């Protein structure tokens, strides 16, 4: 899995990089089919913004969060991403079970 972290109008320090990777590792362990993760951290006036695109087999999941503190926006981003990944995982599981239900029993 590739994790790409970039910063717009801010320098991505090793502390921020480690914090983002720790938060994303917690989320990504729910789902094994993650191929790449692209994180963009940016500053727009007084708003700190964090965006992530997770490339999963068959879908790209995009989440963004804004806050006055960069670490708070990363936390909110991780929570939103966790919900989205679990939702995608449940949809995949439901879809697989529906195919079994439609099969004829002999």
């Amino acid at each position: 899995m590739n994790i790409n972290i970039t910063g717009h109008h801010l320098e991505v320090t090793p502390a921020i990089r480690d914090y983002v990777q720790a938060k994303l590792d917690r989320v990504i362990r729910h789902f094994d089919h993650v191929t790449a993760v692209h994180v963009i951290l940016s500053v727009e006036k007084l708003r700190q913004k964090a965006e992530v695109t997770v490339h999963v087999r068959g879908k790209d999941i995009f989440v963004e969060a804004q806050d006055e503190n960069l670490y708070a926006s990363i936390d909110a981003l991780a929570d939103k991403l966790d919900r989205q990944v679990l939702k995608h995982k449940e949809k995949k599981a439901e879809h697989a079970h529906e195919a079994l239900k439609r099969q004829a029993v002999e």
Side-chain angles (χ1 to χ4, degrees):
M1 175 186 63
N2 268 340
I3 296 180
N4 185 7
I5 302 172
T6 59
H8 286 212
H9 304 294
L10 80 117
E11 181 181 344
V12 180
T13 62
I16 293 174
R17 184 175 300 278
D18 292 341
Y19 190 76
V20 169
Q21 286 179 345
K23 288 293 184 175
L24 291 179
D25 285 342
R26 180 180 64 93
V27 172
I28 294 171
R29 70 177 161 185
H30 292 298
F31 203 62
D32 296 333
H33 304 293
V34 176
T35 57
V37 178
H38 184 72
V39 181
I40 301 172
L41 305 173
S42 61
V43 177
E44 298 172 358
K45 294 189 179 179
L46 297 176
R47 304 297 292 171
Q48 311 288 327
K49 185 175 179 182
E51 303 174 3
V52 66
T53 303
V54 177
H55 301 284
V56 185
R57 187 172 28 160
K59 185 174 183 177
D60 290 342
I61 300 172
F62 176 78
V63 178
E64 66 180 354
Q66 293 183 2
D67 203 300
E68 293 178 1
N69 184 358
L70 183 62
Y71 288 99
S73 65
I74 293 169
D75 289 341
L77 178 86
D79 292 339
K80 288 181 182 181
L81 183 62
D82 191 29
R83 287 192 299 268
Q84 290 292 324
V85 167
L86 288 176
K87 183 178 175 181
H88 177 69
K89 188 176 177 180
E90 288 173 4
K91 280 186 178 181
K92 286 287 190 187
E94 287 176 10
H95 195 51
H97 293 301
E98 286 178 12
L100 293 175
K101 289 180 184 177
R102 292 182 183 169
Q103 292 179 355
V105 179
E106 296 180 28

